[in-house]
Amino acid sequence: MAGAFARWRAPSVLPGFGLSLGFTLFYLSALVLIPLAALIVRPWDLGFAGFWRVVAAPRTLAALELSFGGAALAAGINTIFGLIVAWVLVRYRVPGKRLIDALVDLPFALPTAVAGIALSALYASNGWLGAPLAGLGIKVAYTPLGVVVALVFIGLPFVVRTLEPVLADMGHEAEEAAATLGASRLQTFRRVVLPALSPALITGAALAFARAVGEYGSVIFIAGNLPMVSEIAPLLIVIKLQEYDYAGAAAIGVVMLAVSFVMLFALNALQGWTARR
Amino acid sequence: MTKPRFKKPTEDPVAARVALTLTAVLFIGLFLLLPLVVVFSQALSTGFAAARAAILEPDALSAIHLTLITAAIAVPLNMVFGVSAAWAIAKFDFRGKSVLTTLIDLPFSVSPVVAGLIYVLVFGLQGWLGPWLRAHDIKIIFALPGIVLATIFVTFPFVARELIPLMTDQGRDEEEAAVSLGATGLQTFFRVTLPNVKWGLLYGVLLCNARAMGEFGAVSVVSGHIRGLTDTMPLHVEVLYNDYQYVGAFAVASLLALLALVTLALKSLLEWRYADEIAAVHRH
């Protein structure tokens, strides 16, 4: 017994291992793992055919497509603008830099429902941005475009915060060498800077994407929630729950969970691969 | 400092600098600052008195009360969990440590709606424990316990993920010295470990609290939206907004926005003042 225990953990003079690990495992199991197991088990009440009927229903597919497609588009937009924001904050001297830097974290701190009603008011046809955009013939609120706007809002800090430390740590030596060898600034950026940043860019984009796929609060106010058009997958879960269709809600939840895990796994594999390269 | 006569080879052309800076500032202004300004401007659109009345109305006060109670239960529990997990993971070596660390981060990759759903599936009427809870007249879903559970889930990793890297970096020498000099476990923790991690702990608690008070999706699934009873502040904002009571909705929302601003200010202060005593890498 003692021998098995010793092999399982390295000896230490510090006290409290059993207590702290025991409490950690209990808390984690009771609050996270067992409830998640309830989610994974539930949809099979319907049998596989029933599960498939829920997941392959046109309304479900449209909602999943909007959640994943919108999240991907928003992550793409955030990758480009997040790179510009991080670049400016790290490399340039800008007045009010500390304030701008603090503001980048706003989407982490601002409750999603507040962001939702604010964006909705801003982009409504009589809103500060909605009115001029309507003049150009662009409708944002209550369309899929509104969903993307909300997802851009909540995803931006993931890209900026992932890039900033990498940019700050990156010395100027490689860029100086490229310039000495006659590369233009643009060539240096494309051939030297961008490859060095790409792991952080991919990580930041993936984090923004993962957050956006499951996002609910900031989206539902601006989306208009039209079935088949601007209804996101998390909202469909809520609707199924209100109809007491627990198994149906769980089926969509399981699909979302599975895709998130595959994403997370792929991201880990990708990071391992770029680290080895 | 004299002005540099030559452009450094790693310096971007002036046109590029100006264009990129303008793009960044414009993007932040349009996407981040403007929504924040709208919250306050809408709240005060019919004057301060109307906003004040909307906040002091009984349903709003009960929502504020419920939000404070929820955070007052969920945040300390997650704090104790975070400290305990960090102590086990940072101060000892054992098998399965990296799996455990990954599992602690798990709630961040789960949609808030799914976070609420899982508790409905366990404690709801048709859930695993539903019939038993009903027989014993215990209400969890559509009541305070469910709201607290959902809040704990979405804020689960905040303290732990701040403390684990920090305490791992700090090593075990000081604790081992304390123990070898005869300190008890609690003495070692309160006299040696806690002073070393107090700013990191505060940082984690700050972020945990902001999310706990602002959570919407997970809480909305388990709350049942009983006005004056199970509506938290974010849910009350939704109810008012859907009732076309925009001034009221934005007035309550502006309280939450103020909380966000205070959180950001304190967070920046901690990062600036105690950079070395907060985990080196910040990924949220």
Side-chain angles (χ1 to χ4, degrees), chain A residues 31-32 35, chain B residues 70 74 78 107 110-120 123 140-141 143-157 211-212 215-223 232 235:
Chain A
L31 288 161
V32 176
Chain B
T70 304
N78 276 344
V110 173
S111 167
V113 168
V114 173
L117 170 66
I118 59 176
Y119 293 111
V120 175
F123 299 110
I140 291 186
I141 299 303
L144 179 68
I147 295 171
V148 171
L149 282 171
T151 304
I152 288 178
F153 186 96
V154 294
T155 57
F156 194 86
R211 180 74 194 265
E215 178 53 25
F216 175 72
V219 170
S220 134
V221 170
V222 295
S223 119
T232 59
L235 296 179

Side-chain angles (χ1 to χ4, degrees), chain A residues 20 27 31 92 105 120 185 214, chain B residues 12 78 84 111 119 241 267:
Chain A
S20 61
Y27 195 81
L31 288 161
Y92 299 168
D105 275 335
S120 182
R185 191 66 194 133
Chain B
D12 296 334
N78 276 344
S84 157
S111 167
Y119 293 111
Y241 189 83
K267 177 175 172 292

Side-chain angles (χ1 to χ4, degrees), chain A residues 7-10 12-17 19-21 23-25 27-28 31-39 41-42 77-78 81 84-85 87-88 91-94 98 100 102-114 117-123 128-129 142 149 152-153 156 158 161-162 172 175-176 179 185 203 207 211 214-217 220-221 234 237-238 241 244 246 249-250 253 256-257 260-261 264 271, chain B residues 9-13 16-17 20-21 23-25 27-28 30-39 41-42 74 77-78 80-81 84-85 87-88 91-95 100 103-104 106-107 109-114 117-122 124-128 142 149 152-153 156 172 175-176 179 184-185 210-211 214 216-217 220-221 234 237-238 241-242 249-250 253 256-257 260-261 263-264 267-268 271-272 282-284:
Chain A
R7 252 174 290 142
W8 174 66
R9 74 166 185 113
S12 166
V13 296
L14 295 181
F17 176 70
L19 182 67
S20 61
L21 186 69
F23 177 70
T24 302
L25 290 177
Y27 195 81
L28 179 71
L31 288 161
V32 176
L33 300 182
I34 293 172
L36 276 176
L39 172 75
V41 170
R42 191 60 183 244
I77 294 171
N78 275 330
F81 286 97
I84 295 176
V85 170
W87 184 266
V88 169
R91 289 284 176 103
Y92 299 168
R93 282 203 286 179
V94 191
R98 189 165 268 157
I100 299 176
L103 201 60
V104 167
D105 275 335
L106 182 72
F108 285 147
L110 194 69
T112 54
V114 177
I117 63 167
L119 290 171
S120 182
L122 205 52
Y123 288 94
W128 291 353
L129 293 177
Y142 317 125
V149 166
V152 168
F153 174 84
L156 181 73
F158 290 94
R161 290 294 177 243
T162 313
H172 291 255
E175 287 168 66
E176 278 163 7
R185 191 66 194 133
T203 306
L207 290 173
R211 170 71 201 264
E215 179 56 21
Y216 177 70
I220 54 160
F221 295 98
I237 294 179
V238 171
L241 266 179
Y244 294 100
Y246 283 24
M256 292 186 61
L257 202 64
S260 310
F261 285 169
L264 224 62
Q271 278 175 329
Chain B
T10 53
E11 218 165 76
D12 296 334
R17 297 169 69 97
L20 289 176
T21 307
T23 309
V25 170
F27 188 79
I28 299 259
L30 279 180
F31 272 87
L32 300 185
L33 191 58
L34 214 47
L36 189 65
V37 175
V38 159
V39 173
S41 111
Q42 293 278 330
L77 281 174
N78 276 344
V80 172
F81 163 73
S84 157
W87 181 263
K91 302 294 175 191
F92 299 93
D93 287 315
F94 57 93
R95 265 198 219 170
L100 182 60
L103 286 177
I104 289 173
L106 194 62
S109 42
V110 173
S111 167
V113 168
V114 173
L117 170 66
I118 59 176
Y119 293 111
V120 175
L121 295 177
V122 175
L125 263 188
Q126 303 172 43
W128 279 355
F142 303 156
L149 282 171
I152 288 178
F153 186 96
F156 194 86
R172 302 159 197 179
E175 281 85 3
E176 282 167 0
V179 169
T184 66
R211 180 74 194 265
F216 175 72
S220 134
V221 170
V237 168
E238 184 199 21
Y241 189 83
N242 289 342
F250 280 101
L256 288 168
L261 288 178
T263 303
L264 283 186
K267 177 175 172 292
S268 300
E271 282 169 0
W272 171 61
H282 284 131
R283 272 183 288 151
H284 299 265

Side-chain angles (χ1 to χ4, degrees), chain A residues 3-261:
Chain A
F5 195 66
R7 252 174 290 142
W8 174 66
R9 74 166 185 113
S12 166
V13 296
L14 295 181
F17 176 70
L19 182 67
S20 61
L21 186 69
F23 177 70
T24 302
L25 290 177
F26 164 76
Y27 195 81
L28 179 71
S29 308
L31 288 161
V32 176
L33 300 182
I34 293 172
L36 276 176
L39 172 75
I40 294 166
V41 170
R42 191 60 183 244
W44 315 108
D45 288 3
L46 306 166
F48 185 76
F51 172 79
W52 191 247
R53 221 175 9 257
V54 174
V55 173
R59 189 174 170 188
T60 314
L61 287 180
L64 287 169
E65 197 185 319
L66 178 62
S67 275
F68 284 98
L73 188 57
I77 294 171
N78 275 330
T79 308
I80 296 166
F81 286 97
L83 174 59
I84 295 176
V85 170
W87 184 266
V88 169
L89 285 178
V90 174
R91 289 284 176 103
Y92 299 168
R93 282 203 286 179
V94 191
K97 188 185 219 167
R98 189 165 268 157
L99 205 64
I100 299 176
D101 197 54
L103 201 60
V104 167
D105 275 335
L106 182 72
F108 285 147
L110 194 69
T112 54
V114 177
I117 63 167
L119 290 171
S120 182
L122 205 52
Y123 288 94
S125 53
N126 59 353
W128 291 353
L129 293 177
L133 284 171
L136 299 171
I138 304 169
K139 214 169 152 334
V140 178
Y142 317 125
T143 69
L145 193 58
V147 176
V148 176
V149 166
L151 297 182
V152 168
F153 174 84
I154 54 133
L156 181 73
F158 290 94
V159 178
V160 178
R161 290 294 177 243
T162 313
L163 278 174
E164 270 182 329
V166 179
L167 257 177
D169 282 350
M170 198 167 74
H172 291 255
E173 293 85 358
E175 287 168 66
E176 278 163 7
T180 318
L181 293 170
S184 74
R185 191 66 194 133
L186 200 63
Q187 280 175 323
T188 309
F189 180 77
R190 272 185 41 214
R191 301 275 183 85
V192 177
V193 177
L194 215 49
L197 285 182
S198 61
L201 270 175
I202 294 170
T203 306
L207 290 173
F209 175 83
R211 170 71 201 264
V213 164
E215 179 56 21
Y216 177 70
S218 58
V219 176
I220 54 160
F221 295 98
I222 197 176
N225 308 324
L226 225 62
M228 305 294 295
V229 178
S230 59
E231 182 180 66
I232 53 167
L235 178 65
L236 201 53
I237 294 179
V238 171
I239 290 172
K240 294 222 177 271
L241 266 179
Q242 281 164 354
E243 294 165 352
Y244 294 100
D245 180 5
Y246 283 24
I252 302 172
V254 163
V255 171
M256 292 186 61
L257 202 64
V259 178
S260 310
F261 285 169

